[in-house]
Structures are given as structure tokens and as C-alpha cells.
Amino acid sequence: QVQLVESGGGLVQAGGSLRLSCTVSGGIFSRNAMGWYRQAPGNERELVARINSGGLTDCEDSVKGRFTISKDNAKNTMYLQMNSLKPEDTAVYYCNVRRLLVGLPSRDYWGQGTQVTVSS
């Protein structure tokens, strides 16, 4: 029932911009923390930015001032606006929703990933 569908990845030159979208179905959007992760070849998956149910956000130092995470509750959609892209931003970007369950470990839901490639 829960499904995360991402879009917006692509190929862009250094200094360019992309906007990633993640639409969440299954009734878990508004009550849970969400985030964007990325994984470059040979690297571990890392957190890029996160947003809680109240809309408070945080980004990793490497993307602060360049990336903005946001969400539209009416559309059940989360966004990652990426500006001033650098080659080191090249990675597969994943949408994540972390659902907290009473008396149980939290459960993570993931999108399929969308490729972002930044050329120099």
C-alpha cells in the first residue's frame, strides 16, 4: 500500500539546478519524518536533508545554502531543490519516510531512486 515515487533526476552541468519530487501514497505522509538520501558509486548511502512532520528542516553541511527540502501536504509530495550543483553531488538520490510504530522499531520506506549526474 505504501509507495514512494520519485522524479526529477537527470544530467546537468556544474552550476545548474534540478528539482526532485517524491510523491507518497499509503496514508503515511503527514505524520512522519522524511528525508532525501544519496548514494554515489562505491560510497555508503548518506543523508542529504530531512524534514519532520511539522515542516522543520535540516541539511548536511555539504549542501547547506544550495539544497532546500520542502513538502506540500496537500499533494503528499516532498521536494529537494538543488541549486549550484557540483560534480560531487552526482549520486542516486532516494526518498525516505520513517514511520514510527508504537512498541516496535521504526520502519523505513524507500523510493526507487533517481539518478543525478553533474558534469564538470
Side-chain angles (χ1 to χ4, degrees), residues 47-98:
L47 176 67
V48 177
R50 56 187 176 182
I51 184 168
N52 70 9
S53 60
L56 296 178
T57 64
D58 189 30
C59 295
E60 292 300 301
D61 289 342
S62 63
V63 305
K64 284 184 177 178
R66 301 188 297 118
F67 290 11
T68 302
I69 186 171
S70 63
K71 65 176 182 176
D72 186 336
N73 289 333
K75 297 180 179 179
N76 287 343
T77 301
M78 179 177 63
Y79 306 96
L80 184 66
Q81 178 66 47
M82 304 185 294
N83 299 324
S84 301
L85 283 162
K86 304 175 180 179
E88 52 263 43
D89 296 318
T90 295
V92 177
Y93 284 71
Y94 296 91
C95 176
N96 168 265
V97 176
R98 179 160 292 174

Side-chain angles (χ1 to χ4, degrees), residues 4 6 37 45 94-98 108-112:
L4 284 62
E6 296 165 308
Y37 291 72
R45 187 173 299 184
Y94 296 91
C95 176
N96 168 265
V97 176
R98 179 160 292 174
D108 286 317
Y109 299 88
W110 296 94
Q112 79 285 353

Side-chain angles (χ1 to χ4, degrees), residues 31-52:
R31 299 186 301 276
N32 301 284
M34 298 175 289
W36 288 97
Y37 291 72
R38 67 186 180 187
Q39 186 169 19
N43 292 347
E44 299 290 330
R45 187 173 299 184
E46 65 176 356
L47 176 67
V48 177
R50 56 187 176 182
I51 184 168
N52 70 9

